[in-house]
């Protein structure tokens, strides 16, 4: 079941890439149903996870996302990790680890800090597929900027 949802997040990442943005996709699931899906935009606050959280909060008409899970193609950054804690999401599943800005084990582990909400998380889901998108995107970017 987990891979089914990660495939949807990968589809979102591909959409970001087609739009010329960093290929990161995220979806939010509640009761095994996708309630939000998004991908990176061009702005510094247009992270896939943030956009999906906002969409899910509107869809559920609630202040919190209790009972929900996030699937992201990349390990969330500090900003997104904070938003996940504040939204009270239950679980996070991500694909590629991010050695430059990942905050669920790569640089730090925000979720082990004594915040008022604890989130279960699992990394490395379909990691190879997620990494290929990122590597190809940045390889192409370097070529066009050379």
């Amino acid at each position: 079941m987990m891979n089914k949802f990660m495939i949807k997040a990968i589809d979102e990442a591909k959409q970001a890439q087609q739009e010329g943005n960093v290929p990161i996709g995220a979806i939010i699931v509640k009761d095994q149903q996708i309630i939000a899906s998004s991908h990176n935009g061009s702005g510094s606050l247009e992270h896939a996870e943030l956009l999906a959280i906002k969409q899910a909060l509107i869809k559920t008409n609630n202040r919190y996302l209790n009972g929900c899970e996030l699937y992201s193609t990349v390990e969330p950054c500090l900003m997104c990790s904070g938003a996940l804690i504040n939204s009270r999401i239950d679980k996070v599943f991500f694909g590629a680890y991010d050695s430059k800005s990942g905050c669920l084990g790569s640089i730090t582990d925000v979720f082990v800090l004594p915040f008022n909400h604890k989130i279960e998380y699992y990394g490395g889901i379909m990691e190879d597929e997620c990494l290929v998108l990122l590597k190809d995107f940045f390889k192409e970017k370097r070529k066009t900027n050379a």
Side-chain angles (χ1 to χ4, degrees), residues 48-63:
E49 299 91 338
L50 294 179
L51 296 170
I53 289 168
K54 184 176 180 181
Q55 193 181 111
L57 289 168
I58 291 167
K59 173 108 182 198
T60 60
N61 195 28
N62 201 329
R63 299 176 58 168

Side-chain angles (χ1 to χ4, degrees), residues 93-141:
F93 301 90
F94 66 88
Y97 286 87
D98 183 351
S99 63
K100 293 187 167 102
S101 63
C103 287
L104 299 186
S106 289
I107 291 180
T108 189
D109 191 343
V110 173
F111 289 176
V112 300
L113 297 173
F115 288 105
N116 65 336
H117 180 71
K118 294 290 179 202
I119 298 174
E120 278 183 57
Y121 64 96
Y122 307 89
I125 293 127
M126 296 182 70
E127 184 173 15
D128 292 340
E129 293 89 331
C130 296
L131 271 175
V132 164
L133 282 172
L134 289 166
K135 286 180 179 179
D136 288 352
F137 176 81
F138 286 111
K139 187 189 308 179
E140 191 61 36
K141 199 99 169 134

Side-chain angles (χ1 to χ4, degrees), residues 65-111:
L65 295 176
N66 300 89
C68 293
E69 303 170 344
L70 173 107
Y71 291 79
S72 177
T73 56
V74 176
E75 179 182 5
C77 68
L78 183 59
M79 179 173 61
C80 293
S81 296
L84 290 163
I85 291 167
N86 288 329
S87 73
R88 297 190 184 169
I89 204 153
D90 287 354
K91 294 179 185 175
V92 171
F93 301 90
F94 66 88
Y97 286 87
D98 183 351
S99 63
K100 293 187 167 102
S101 63
C103 287
L104 299 186
S106 289
I107 291 180
T108 189
D109 191 343
V110 173
F111 289 176

